[in-house]
Each structure stands twice: as structure tokens, then as C-alpha cells.
Amino acid sequence: MLSVPFQASKLWGEIEGFRKKLAHAEAVYEEKKIKPTHKTGTLGLYGPQVDSIDYYKAKKERLEAALKEEEVSIAKSTSQKGAAIVIFKNRAAATNASQVFFFFLKK
């Protein structure tokens, strides 16, 4: 069984893929002034011929809606603990922050 964050990560990867394909289709349209089309079946050889821009926009919007649902389910999940990612510009700042954190943790 896949974990919930992994499913959200997989959806995000698919959204990024369709976002890149959409950007490419829009660039082709800007350059050639002809709407690009493709077939939706296996390897682009089978299936109905569709407008690439409209198809990728619809797929991206559907996946974004699914990702929002996953985010809500992750937020409601009791197994999810509070976490944060902190990035420091140098090692001294990180050391100082960890010392302050552990000082107040012991009290």
C-alpha cells in the first residue's frame, strides 16, 4: 500500500509533466499559429485526435483538483505529525538555532 505523501508526490510529478507538455504545445502554437493536436491512445498512434492545448489544460486541472483532495486528506490524517524544514545560510546560524531549541526543550 502506498503512503499518502507518496501519492501526493506522484500527483505532483504528473502535474509537472502536463505543465511542461502544455508549455510546449503553447510555444508551438505561438510559433506556427496552428493549434497542435495529438492522439490520446498508446504511443500517440491510436485513439481520437484532440487539441493538445485543451487536452493538457483539462488533465492538469483535473490532477490539481485531485492533489487538493490529497492535501486535505493528509491534513486530516492522524498519523501526520507536525514538521518543518528550515534552511540556514551558514553553519554558525544552524548551530546557534539548534542550541537555542535544545535549551528551551530541556525546560
Side-chain angles (χ1 to χ4, degrees):
M1 180 174 170
L2 298 175
S3 66
V4 175
F6 179 75
Q7 292 171 353
S9 174
K10 183 178 174 185
L11 281 173
W12 180 254
E14 289 179 22
I15 290 170
E16 284 299 308
F18 282 112
R19 189 173 290 154
K20 288 177 184 177
K21 289 178 182 181
L22 177 61
H24 179 264
E26 289 173 341
V28 167
Y29 178 65
E30 286 292 321
E31 184 178 319
K32 295 183 179 178
K33 303 295 183 208
I34 298 172
K35 281 216 168 198
T37 60
H38 71 280
K39 292 185 178 183
T40 59
T42 308
L43 300 174
L45 299 174
Y46 305 105
Q49 188 90 6
V50 295
D51 177 21
S52 297
I53 295 174
D54 294 337
Y55 179 79
Y56 293 139
K57 278 184 184 177
K59 286 286 263 189
K60 187 175 75 93
E61 289 170 1
R62 190 162 28 100
L63 287 172
E64 285 173 347
L67 181 63
K68 292 242 187 258
E69 291 174 11
E70 285 294 324
E71 288 173 352
V72 169
S73 70
I74 289 171
K76 289 182 180 179
S77 174
T78 57
S79 64
Q80 187 72 15
K81 304 293 181 197
I85 297 175
V86 181
I87 300 173
F88 296 97
K89 293 191 181 215
N90 55 39
R91 187 180 293 247
T95 303
N96 189 11
S98 67
Q99 289 173 351
V100 169
F101 174 75
F102 286 117
F103 175 77
F104 286 107
L105 186 66
K106 290 179 183 178
K107 285 187 173 185

